[in-house]
Amino acid sequence: MLRKSDSLIQSPLGRRSIDSAGAPIGVVRMDPQKSIVAVPQLLQKYINESDSAAWQEIRERIDYTYGALNVALRSLDEATGFGKKVKAQVKEGKKALFKPNIVNPVCIDPVTHGEGPGGPACTPWAFIAALMRWFHDKLGISYHSMA
């Protein structure tokens, strides 16, 4: 059993107690400039101009996001075992539905292929691509079992 003094850590806020009573979370710090920022413009360049360098940049941004998600989700899976539960439900015929509470008011305009209005429920597709890839690569869930 830990004594109260054993559960103190030094933080930017001073010496604080470790919170071990709450729900498990997986957290990682990401640089948005390396992740989803500018993806709509890059996609527009790729679609309209066949710019392969733009597509490579999109891939690098998704790879960066995937790596960060791996840190957070691996920690969460180790603490909770949610991966086994998700795999079991998919095996039963359920779909893995992705709709995180991270929203972006910009979607892809179907005419110009640039940024277009999407309303408050349009999740950045590059983030979802990285998230789905994690479930595919790390949990072995088929993309056909995701929505």
Side-chain angles (χ1 to χ4, degrees), residues 12-146:
L13 301 173
R15 293 194 49 80
R16 310 291 284 184
S17 295
I18 296 174
D19 176 8
S20 61
I25 60 170
V27 179
V28 66
R29 179 176 288 190
M30 294 175 56
D31 180 350
Q33 297 298 326
K34 294 179 181 177
S35 183
I36 58 174
V37 172
V39 168
Q41 296 85 355
L42 291 165
L43 183 61
Q44 184 179 33
K45 277 185 84 166
Y46 176 70
I47 293 172
N48 292 348
E49 302 168 24
S50 300
D51 185 335
S52 59
W55 185 251
Q56 182 59 35
E57 178 69 20
I58 290 170
R59 290 178 57 158
E60 289 172 10
R61 289 168 182 267
I62 291 172
D63 287 347
Y64 171 82
T65 305
Y66 172 81
L69 285 172
N70 184 48
V71 172
L73 293 174
R74 183 185 64 229
S75 301
L76 186 59
D77 188 30
E78 289 170 0
T80 66
F82 82 88
K84 288 180 184 178
K85 296 172 188 172
V86 172
K87 288 194 294 188
Q89 289 187 9
V90 168
K91 190 174 182 178
E92 292 173 0
K94 294 180 179 179
K95 299 279 186 191
L97 173 66
F98 298 96
K99 182 56 189 105
N101 290 329
I102 301 172
V103 294
N104 183 352
V106 176
C107 286
I108 301 168
D109 184 285
V111 177
T112 68
H113 306 119
E115 292 184 55
C122 186
T123 302
W125 69 269
F127 179 86
I128 294 297
L131 183 63
M132 290 174 70
R133 180 175 153 202
W134 189 87
F135 277 78
H136 176 268
D137 293 358
K138 302 300 181 182
L139 299 183
I141 295 175
S142 164
Y143 288 111
H144 296 287
S145 297
M146 300 181 205

